[in-house]
Structure formats: structure tokens, C-alpha cells
């Protein structure tokens, strides 16, 4: 198990180093944090619980530590934290379900494209042939596949092996 108090102390120390090394960026980040957490329509506790849920859903351990600590300071109860965690679990799994539909849609589109290309290639093999020639080709291919013998397939069709060889 993690020592969350130590983790937040260690990260806070590293954030001080970041403030020294990238002061403009860290000042802007602090301004965003202050604006986002300022109580307006939602109070500070609700905002910290939202931040905690997001921290869990995006799997940010350091964020979890800071937002649990802040939620407690804002008066969050165990029940409120548990309900927040339930929503985080739901939202962590829900997007996976939604993105699974995207993957299924992509598969369906690519599979249809592959089938269309195969059908197009197959239809090109028959361009310029009569229906009887196409039927003969298909029968020869089927018999050859079934019997594994072109001569036998040609004899069944009543054609010479030379014609059979030319078509299979």
C-alpha cells in the first residue's frame, strides 16, 4: 500500500522545483486551479469530489492523494467519497464500452471494404465471358477442388483436358 501522506509531501516538494524551473507555466496552472476550484454554483466539496472521480478515471495516483486530502478538508464524508468512487468506476468502464463500439464500427467498415475488393476482383475474372463460359469455369474449379484431378473434372464435363487446363 502507498503512504499517501508521504506521497503528497514528496510531490509537493517536486512541484516547488517545477515552480522554480518553469515559473510562468506553474503560475498559469495555479491560476487555472484557483479559478476551477473557486466556489460558485458548486461548492468546494463538490468540486473536490468531481476532481477525485476524474483522478480515479484517468488513473492519476498523485491527483488522487491531493483530491482526497482536499475533499476531506472540505468536509466530504466516507459515503460521499464512496459514491464518487462508484461514479469514477462507472465512467472508467463506460468509455471503454463506448470506444468498443468505435472499434466494432471500424472493423465493420474495413471488413466490408475487403469483401467489396474481393468481389470486384472475382467479377473481373469473368469480364468478357459468356454465362456458359463462367458456369463452365466455376464447375471446373469446383470439381477440381472436390476431386483434386483436372482430367477427371474435364471428363465429367465432357471437355478435353486442354480446355480444362486452360480454364483452371
Amino acid at each position: 500500500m502507498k503512504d499517501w501522506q508521504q506521497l503528497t509531501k514528496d510531490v509537493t516538494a517536486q512541484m516547488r522545483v517545477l515552480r522554480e524551473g518553469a515559473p510562468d507555466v506553474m503560475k498559469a496552472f495555479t491560476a487555472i486551479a484557483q479559478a476551477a476550484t473557486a466556489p460558485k454554483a458548486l461548492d468546494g466539496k463538490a468540486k473536490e469530489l468531481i476532481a477525485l472521480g476524474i483522478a480515479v478515471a484517468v488513473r492519476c495516483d498523485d491527483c488522487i492523494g491531493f483530491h482526497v486530502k482536499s475533499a476531506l478538508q472540505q468536509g466530504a464524508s466516507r459515503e460521499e467519497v464512496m459514491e464518487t468512487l462508484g461514479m469514477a468506476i462507472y465512467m472508467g468502464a463506460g468509455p471503454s464500452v463506448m470506444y468498443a463500439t468505435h472499434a466494432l464500427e471500424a472493423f465493420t467498415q474495413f471488413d466490408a471494404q475487403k469483401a467489396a475488393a474481393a468481389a470486384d476482383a472475382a467479377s473481373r475474372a469473368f469480364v468478357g465471358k459468356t454465362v456458359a463460359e463462367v458456369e463452365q469455369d466455376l464447375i471446373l474449379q469446383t470439381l477440381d477442388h472436390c476431386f483434386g484431378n483436372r482430367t477427371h473434372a474435364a471428363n465429367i464435363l465432357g471437355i478435353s483436358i486442354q480446355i480444362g487446363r486452360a480454364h483452371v
Side-chain angles (χ1 to χ4, degrees), residues 51-62:
L52 174 59
I54 293 168
V56 169
V58 300
R59 298 167 183 89
C60 177
D61 282 346
D62 301 346

Side-chain angles (χ1 to χ4, degrees), residues 16-167:
R16 281 189 203 105
V17 174
L18 275 174
R19 280 189 195 99
E20 292 169 7
D24 294 340
V25 173
M26 292 306 291
K27 283 178 190 174
F29 176 77
T30 300
I32 290 171
Q34 289 172 346
T37 58
K40 293 179 183 149
L42 297 173
D43 64 15
K45 180 173 73 172
K47 289 185 175 195
E48 285 302 332
L49 289 170
I50 291 168
L52 174 59
I54 293 168
V56 169
V58 300
R59 298 167 183 89
C60 177
D61 282 346
D62 301 346
C63 302
I64 290 169
F66 284 106
H67 293 295
V68 165
K69 183 178 177 181
S70 293
L72 280 169
Q73 290 169 347
Q74 294 287 331
S77 67
R78 180 177 182 81
E79 292 78 20
E80 290 170 319
V81 168
M82 294 302 285
E83 194 168 331
T84 299
L85 296 178
M87 285 301 295
I89 291 166
Y90 164 64
M91 288 309 298
S96 296
V97 171
M98 300 304 123
Y99 272 88
T101 66
H102 295 193
L104 181 59
E105 181 181 43
F107 174 84
T108 301
Q109 289 177 13
F110 285 115
D111 191 44
Q113 181 183 16
K114 180 181 172 184
D120 185 50
S123 68
R124 275 190 252 117
F126 301 122
V127 171
K129 293 185 177 182
T130 67
V131 172
E133 290 172 328
V134 170
E135 287 174 345
Q136 187 176 0
D137 285 349
L138 292 173
I139 291 168
L140 269 171
Q141 290 172 10
T142 302
L143 290 172
D144 185 43
H145 176 74
C146 292
F147 297 110
N149 184 320
R150 291 182 185 165
T151 303
H152 187 60
N155 287 337
I156 290 171
L157 287 175
I159 59 175
S160 74
I161 190 59
Q162 288 76 25
I163 293 172
R165 285 187 183 139
H167 290 352

